[in-house]
Amino acid sequence: MSKGKDGGTATATRSPKAEKADHSGVLRDYEIAYMSRQVSTLARGEVMLGRAMFGIFGDGKEVAQVALARAFQPGDIRSGYYRDQTLMFALGLLTVQQFFAQLYAHADIAADPASGGRGMNAHFGTRMLDDQGRWKNLTDQYQSSADSSPTGSQMPRLLGLAYASRLYRELKDLHQFTQFSHNGNEIAFGTIGNASCAEGVFWEAVNAAGVLQVPMLLSVWDDWYGISVPNDMQVTKGSISELLQGFRRTPEKKGFELEVVRGWDYAALVETFQRTADVVRRNHVPAVVHVTEMTQPHGHSTSGSHERYKSPERLKWEKEHDGISRFREWIIKQKIASAAELDALQEHAMDEARAGRDGAWRAYQSPINAEKDELHALIAAAAGNATGSSATTLATIASDLAARTTPLRREVAAAAHEAIVALRDAPSVAEPLIQWKRAQEALMDNRYHAELYSESSESALAVPVEAPIYPDDAPDVDGYMVLNACFDAALRRDPRVIAFGEDVGKLGDVNQGFVDLQARYGELRVGDTGIRECTIIGQAIGMAMRGLRPIAEIQYLDYLLYALQVMSDDLATLRYRTRGGQKAPVIVRTRGHRLVGVWHSGSPMAMMLGSLRGMYVLVPRDMTRAAGFYNTLLQGDDPAIVVEVLNAYRVKEKLPANIGTFTMPLGVPEILREGSDVTVVTYGACCKIALDAARLLEENAGVRVEVIDVQSLLPFDINGLIVESLKKTNKVLFLDEDVPGGATAYMMQEVLERQGGFYWLDSAPRTLSAAAHRAAYGRDGDYWSKPNVETVFDAVYEIVRETDVARFPALGV
Ligand SMILES: Cc1ncc(C[n+]2csc(CCOP(=O)(O)OP(=O)(O)O)c2C)c(N)n1
């Protein structure tokens, strides 16, 4: 066998039988690599033909990937990116037909199991859940977590997938969960492009993997470019392995295994991956394999040609170093097969690629054509029944539709719409078309909107409600102690619950919710992390995807911004982008709303509402309600963020007797004070301000304010309690500490538009939010930056004054 740069050799003597078996493995690898190349070429053609919107393929990376596949064992899991089609083929996790189905955006999980047409071409993933949304056995086959497009975004998740193995190995109470792990033997295999190593998230994840010593094997596919920008403009010294030298482990210090191997050298690749994987699996050591000298025969994607930025010399070099050609030469030289035998094998691979493409296209097109024909028949019939100009219009619509040989569903839907509009004066003629369109829209609703949140029996919305129980002698304790008792019960009840974050372990978090719990449950159950918000969330995502129940803490809501990308792109989209194939029930715990100054007073709720659909966003006003939400979420299978009120940890609350089991329903507001004049809709820290203002309004002006705590922004008032209040008061103020146009606007839209609250108003609806900037420092800065009792008083007073000037004279403020 030949030798890689750092790769060593694999020259152990083998029996003739083993030799033969190995040869057939090599030929199988060659066939897959060759077939994958043909797939790239054919797929590119499909985009050029207009059958697909966009294509990005794995050409040039084939040889390394068939070699990498050999290092996988059942239960191992991949977190990679769009170049990995060959790896997926080699692992048996993807068929050619499925690859093309995804390229065509075939909206059916039977055709595209990774995403049901939602993802994008070359966004891979396995179905880890059954059709009831429950976990399958993840250890009896290889797994792939679902890809996303932002370069580097596979890294935070990769950290967590690998960390889960460590927990499953080191925590004895987890050994029973063999559906997810066998003693933590599973490796999390990552892949990333060379240029993406310039992303901050790459460094954060690599550093954390070294600190945590997780079984992660990361391959860097290095083809020198990141679209058009070369390596020496991406990373210092132009080489990621050179840069990572400081991470290399030594006899004295823990660190990484580090390997460099060339992307066209099959034998060295097989040997390197196998040897490295053995170390990673056995010793739980992270590793990076830098695969150099890769090529990109078709260029970056279908969006442009690489001749625009690669020199003729580089293009020539790429041809000479093409992995498939080199692999073929090596096989012939090793006398594993003759040129003629390889030609036959290539022929077969080509047939397989073509058959996959053609099968996928037929499967994609035939139901749409059937729908088109169905609609065509209806329009033609309607044309026969219609009179005057609409008959002519319908005949034209029918013939235009018939002329579409490869229709899109949207074109069919548009034709139906056009026909219905043309028949607006003949409703009885239009009726069959309307019925057809309604049925079609219901199907599309399912195709494109289902599985944003859990629809399983484990949905957080299906968790039974258990009210808190307060015996007569229920003690009054500081708010943080309520949380502490809740977390203690959760950790005791369920060994899968793992809490971590900055200062969460030894200190028990900056507000003591976890105080003493590390001492009780150990460092792996209640742990400290480095200051790395993005990978705290990634760590949680990967753990949750392997059956654990992480509670990941972001110390202050203001610092969520560092984690928001991964929460938005990865966590919140996971269930949706896999169409219910994967889930990560992560609980993100944070605290916000009001403390001191620009960076500790955050209440950027609309930032979350806009970017975290797919997660629940909960805003309890006190720690008892927060505890109830945690108890609910731990029984559910959706990700969520709970924003605790920063200045409420030392406020006294009664400790419920059933602190470990009582639950808070999601999306159910609470009326904190009944009133008949104005409804104030608010949440979190503003509840107290609203109540204080309501009391003053009643005492001073006889205004009876109904104060409603929404408690949960996503989901929002699922039973329509707020509109019932509006029916009584006919006036409303939406109050919070977000910026103008932030969550107050969101609540207003929910109540006035979705719940139809507009129809019950007799004065203009109003919002009262913080100023358009972040809060200035100091108590006075806070007072003039955020709503306070006086501004709430004035806002409500103005609302009631609008309909009764005589009773409410102007205050002149
Ligand atoms: C966060 C982010 N920025 C930019 C892009 C656009 N983009 C897609 S691929 C790519 C280059 C990636 O290069 P590399 O990591 O070397 O991987 P390769 O595609 O060469 O395999 C860029 C800039 C993106 N997808 N995500």
Side-chain angles (χ1 to χ4, degrees), residues 81-83 149-151 193-196 199 223 225-227 296 300:
Y81 78 118
Y82 49 77
R83 295 284 180 221
S149 289
T151 54
N194 52 290
S196 301
E199 291 279 9
D223 56 22
Y225 289 92
I227 309 187
Q296 214 174 63
H300 176 77

Side-chain angles (χ1 to χ4, degrees), residues 120-447:
M120 203 174 166
N121 140 250
H123 284 53
F124 309 111
T126 45
R127 295 201 78 75
M128 293 160 65
L129 307 180
D130 66 18
D131 53 13
Q132 305 294 309
R134 291 171 307 217
W135 291 111
K136 290 183 186 167
N137 184 335
L138 301 188
T139 52
D140 61 5
Q141 67 157 60
Y142 313 128
Q143 302 294 342
S144 171
S145 62
D147 296 354
S148 61
S149 289
T151 54
S153 62
Q154 66 274 43
M155 294 297 300
R157 181 187 342 124
L158 174 64
L159 174 75
L161 293 170
Y163 187 60
S165 285
R166 208 187 133 192
L167 296 168
Y168 278 117
R169 183 173 288 181
E170 294 180 31
L171 289 171
K172 284 203 171 45
D173 288 346
L174 293 178
H175 288 180
Q176 57 185 303
F177 298 103
T178 52
Q179 179 184 10
F180 297 105
S181 175
H182 288 296
N183 195 35
N185 286 338
E186 304 77 20
I187 294 179
F189 284 94
T191 65
I192 190 166
N194 52 290
S196 301
C197 298
E199 291 279 9
V201 66
F202 169 85
W203 293 97
E204 191 177 310
V206 166
N207 177 54
V211 170
L212 294 175
Q213 288 292 293
V214 293
M216 147 186 139
L217 196 164
L218 175 65
S219 301
V220 181
W221 306 143
D222 189 347
D223 56 22
W224 191 253
Y225 289 92
I227 309 187
S228 66
V229 182
N231 248 352
D232 41 13
M233 294 185 74
Q234 299 283 359
V235 291
T236 309
K237 300 185 178 182
S239 163
I240 192 63
S241 48
E242 227 180 302
L243 264 190
L244 288 174
Q245 287 302 329
F247 284 76
R248 195 189 274 281
R249 68 189 182 128
T250 63
E252 296 78 37
K253 291 198 171 162
K254 291 178 175 169
F256 274 73
E257 282 286 292
L258 197 52
E259 296 286 339
V260 184
V261 59
R262 288 172 295 200
W264 45 263
D265 189 344
Y266 172 75
L269 284 159
V270 169
E271 191 279 330
T272 304
F273 282 130
Q274 214 111 64
R275 177 168 43 78
T276 309
D278 281 349
V279 176
V280 171
R281 197 181 302 282
R282 205 174 30 246
N283 303 330
H284 275 193
V285 172
V288 172
V289 178
H290 181 194
V291 183
T292 61
E293 299 193 16
M294 292 186 127
T295 65
Q296 214 174 63
H298 292 313
H300 176 77
S301 71
T302 52
S303 293
S305 91
H306 56 163
E307 284 83 5
R308 285 186 299 167
Y309 52 85
K310 285 181 187 164
S311 67
E313 294 76 41
R314 171 73 197 187
L315 290 167
K316 183 165 169 281
W317 181 92
E318 289 203 12
K319 268 209 162 60
E320 289 164 4
H321 290 79
D322 179 72
I324 306 267
S325 314
R326 293 250 171 163
F327 193 5
R328 182 184 157 101
E329 285 162 20
W330 179 82
I331 291 172
I332 295 170
K333 203 161 149 210
Q334 297 294 314
K335 300 198 177 355
I336 295 170
S338 66
E341 283 167 330
L342 290 181
D343 287 346
L345 211 128
Q346 289 178 195
E347 197 65 32
H348 184 252
M350 188 67 204
D351 289 346
E352 206 177 327
R354 282 204 193 100
R357 175 198 59 186
D358 297 344
W361 180 251
R362 271 195 307 275
Y364 165 69
Q365 268 292 295
S366 64
I368 306 180
N369 265 313
E371 288 161 30
K372 180 194 91 168
D373 292 345
E374 211 175 270
L375 179 69
H376 181 265
L378 289 176
I379 297 177
N385 295 331
T387 50
S389 65
S390 51
T392 326
T393 308
L394 286 180
T396 311
I397 298 169
S399 71
D400 286 353
L401 189 60
R404 292 190 184 277
T405 48
T406 55
L408 292 167
R409 282 202 168 97
R410 57 185 289 167
E411 293 165 341
V412 179
H417 187 265
E418 202 183 344
I420 290 165
V421 171
L423 288 169
R424 64 195 176 280
D425 293 329
S428 60
V429 183
E431 190 53 27
L433 288 169
I434 293 168
Q435 293 300 339
W436 184 88
K437 187 151 194 316
R438 277 196 195 135
Q440 191 71 359
E441 286 303 324
L443 289 173
M444 301 317 278
D445 196 42
N446 188 271
R447 281 194 181 103

Side-chain angles (χ1 to χ4, degrees), residues 719-739:
N719 301 319
L721 178 125
I722 300 171
V723 78
E724 291 307 315
S725 174
L726 262 54
K727 287 179 188 173
K728 182 170 59 171
T729 63
N730 313 116
K731 297 178 180 56
V732 65
L733 172 72
F734 297 94
L735 164 71
D736 80 354
E737 299 180 29
D738 199 354
V739 290

